[in-house]
Amino acid sequence: MSTDVVIIGAGLSGLTAARILTEQNLSVLVAEKSKGVGGRLATRRIKSASLDHGAQFFTARTDEFKAAVNVWTEAGIVDEWCRGFGHEDGYPRYRVRGGMNSLAKALAVDINVAKSQKVSAIIPTPDCWSVTYDAGTRLPDEARAVVATAPVPQVLELTSSGAVVLDDDVATELEAMRYNKVIAILMRVDKSPNIPTPGAIQQPDDPTFTFIADNQVKGISSEPAVTFHVSHQLSDELWDKSDREIVDALSAQLSSYCQPARPIEAQVKRWRYAGPVQPTPKLCLVATTKPGPLVIAGDGFGGSKVEGAFISGLAAAAEIASRLGA
């Protein structure tokens, strides 16, 4: 298929760029390796429980993101959760009704998303980019431009497979980017746990759990269900253990936060690229302009938070639109 732009990744950055470029009358295809959209805007169902297990909330500091949040609020997609965990600091924390993934689904409406399509290479040809896929599940797509919003190490694999020649300074900058790992433990419990209002504990310097959320109090689950985010260091230490070994290793700490509830079921989700160790201040990066613009964006640019991913998607769309004359 021939299109103006192929966007790799249907997370917030990719969907934001796709909506902007579509509104500017460019043809856009979003290639997503998973069965659904959202990336770390992730919500999982376990029986009748719903649990956010990637991004838990977001704040809005920039005018661009505040404007988007206002639109989503008026549409009934998001609302204010609280203004701090443990103490109020005046900044609204927003939640998504039905879980964080509902925002991604709303953004994907009327966008051409090819799901379960893992890109294998980005290949420059004399006239355009050729985007190929694993296992022959889809014929290559030809595009005037590409936006890659996958984690940078995965993007480098795609450019290497396609023999893309990057400028030395661009390659050096991208190869230096490192990501934190995060393990999320999702637990159904038999009654409400003793987690203080507003239903979450945020403790970024804790050696075990940096964030704990009661999804029922948060308003997205019909029954008690708790999400635990394991600290970066401990996630790295436990990464290669089995799910059962991870839960067993943390059972005492899990139980202490769940009191007086008892666990019914636990699942483990691994985020290999949970966020950059040190995000670059650039909002996106034009890796090359031949045979057309190849722009790299995502939460590694402009900040690892939800807002940073959104702003990076806006910046990538602006680069593509200006270079394609939209």
Side-chain angles (χ1 to χ4, degrees), residues 58 68-69 71-79 95-107:
F58 54 83
V69 172
V71 171
W72 301 336
T73 300
E74 291 174 4
I77 299 169
V78 310
D79 58 14
R95 61 189 168 191
V96 181
R97 295 181 179 179
M100 296 292 282
N101 189 248
S102 295
L103 174 58
K105 290 178 179 178
L107 293 175

Side-chain angles (χ1 to χ4, degrees), residues 12 38-44 50-59 65 77-82 85 92-103 182-187 195 198-203 209-221 225-230 269 271 274 304-307:
L12 182 57
R40 288 194 297 117
L41 294 178
T43 308
R44 179 179 295 186
S50 296
L51 304 92
D52 283 335
H53 59 95
Q56 295 290 316
F57 64 92
F58 54 83
T59 57
F65 196 49
I77 299 169
V78 310
D79 58 14
E80 184 177 320
W81 181 9
C82 63
F85 304 101
R93 273 72 166 174
Y94 295 94
R95 61 189 168 191
V96 181
R97 295 181 179 179
M100 296 292 282
N101 189 248
S102 295
L103 174 58
V182 168
I183 292 172
I185 299 176
L186 317 178
M187 184 173 289
I195 294 175
I201 300 170
Q202 187 176 35
Q203 44 192 22
F209 301 128
T210 57
F211 197 86
I212 303 163
D214 181 334
N215 292 276
Q216 186 177 45
V217 173
K218 186 178 182 180
I220 69 166
S221 180
V226 186
T227 299
F228 297 85
H229 278 185
V230 181
K269 166 65 181 180
W271 295 101
S304 61
K305 297 181 179 180
V306 171
E307 182 168 11

Side-chain angles (χ1 to χ4, degrees), residues 192-196 201 203 206 208-210 212 226 228 251-261:
S192 296
N194 188 26
I195 294 175
I201 300 170
Q203 44 192 22
D206 189 85
T208 306
F209 301 128
T210 57
I212 303 163
V226 186
F228 297 85
S251 60
Q253 295 95 325
L254 291 166
S255 296
S256 68
Y257 282 105
C258 284
Q259 292 296 332

Side-chain angles (χ1 to χ4, degrees), residues 53-315:
H53 59 95
Q56 295 290 316
F57 64 92
F58 54 83
T59 57
R61 308 295 176 98
T62 62
D63 290 341
E64 296 89 344
F65 196 49
K66 287 178 180 177
V69 172
N70 287 338
V71 171
W72 301 336
T73 300
E74 291 174 4
I77 299 169
V78 310
D79 58 14
E80 184 177 320
W81 181 9
C82 63
R83 297 205 171 193
F85 304 101
H87 69 280
E88 292 195 5
D89 59 14
Y91 289 103
R93 273 72 166 174
Y94 295 94
R95 61 189 168 191
V96 181
R97 295 181 179 179
M100 296 292 282
N101 189 248
S102 295
L103 174 58
K105 290 178 179 178
L107 293 175
V109 172
D110 297 328
I111 299 297
N112 184 14
V113 181
K115 302 174 186 175
S116 300
Q117 300 295 336
K118 185 178 180 181
V119 174
S120 59
I122 307 169
I123 304 170
T125 72
D127 300 316
C128 65
W129 291 101
S130 178
V131 179
T132 61
Y133 301 88
D134 277 0
T137 54
R138 180 183 176 92
L139 293 175
D141 288 302
E142 295 183 346
R144 297 167 62 199
V146 173
V147 179
T149 68
V152 167
Q154 295 179 341
V155 174
L156 288 174
E157 291 178 6
L158 301 181
T159 57
S160 176
S161 296
V164 177
V165 178
L166 301 175
D167 292 339
D168 289 344
D169 57 341
V170 170
T172 298
E173 183 173 356
L174 294 176
E175 289 167 359
M177 292 186 69
R178 298 290 181 268
Y179 284 72
N180 291 310
K181 296 175 181 176
V182 168
I183 292 172
I185 299 176
L186 317 178
M187 184 173 289
R188 291 175 61 226
V189 292
D190 63 355
K191 63 181 70 172
S192 296
N194 188 26
I195 294 175
T197 303
I201 300 170
Q202 187 176 35
Q203 44 192 22
D205 297 323
D206 189 85
T208 306
F209 301 128
T210 57
F211 197 86
I212 303 163
D214 181 334
N215 292 276
Q216 186 177 45
V217 173
K218 186 178 182 180
I220 69 166
S221 180
S222 62
E223 65 176 60
V226 186
T227 299
F228 297 85
H229 278 185
V230 181
S231 69
H232 295 154
Q233 181 175 337
L234 188 54
S235 291
D236 192 59
E237 293 173 6
L238 297 173
W239 190 259
D240 293 324
K241 294 186 179 296
S242 69
D243 292 1
R244 181 75 271 165
E245 287 173 328
I246 291 172
V247 173
D248 287 347
L250 299 175
S251 60
Q253 295 95 325
L254 291 166
S255 296
S256 68
Y257 282 105
C258 284
Q259 292 296 332
R262 295 182 179 180
I264 299 173
E265 180 180 358
Q267 294 185 10
V268 173
K269 166 65 181 180
R270 292 168 175 80
W271 295 101
R272 180 177 295 276
Y273 303 109
V277 174
Q278 184 61 51
T280 174
K282 297 177 181 177
L283 300 183
C284 63
L285 183 64
V286 180
T288 184
T289 58
K290 296 179 180 180
L294 167 60
V295 178
I296 303 175
D299 61 8
F301 299 83
S304 61
K305 297 181 179 180
V306 171
E307 182 168 11
F310 175 85
I311 296 299
S312 182
L314 287 184

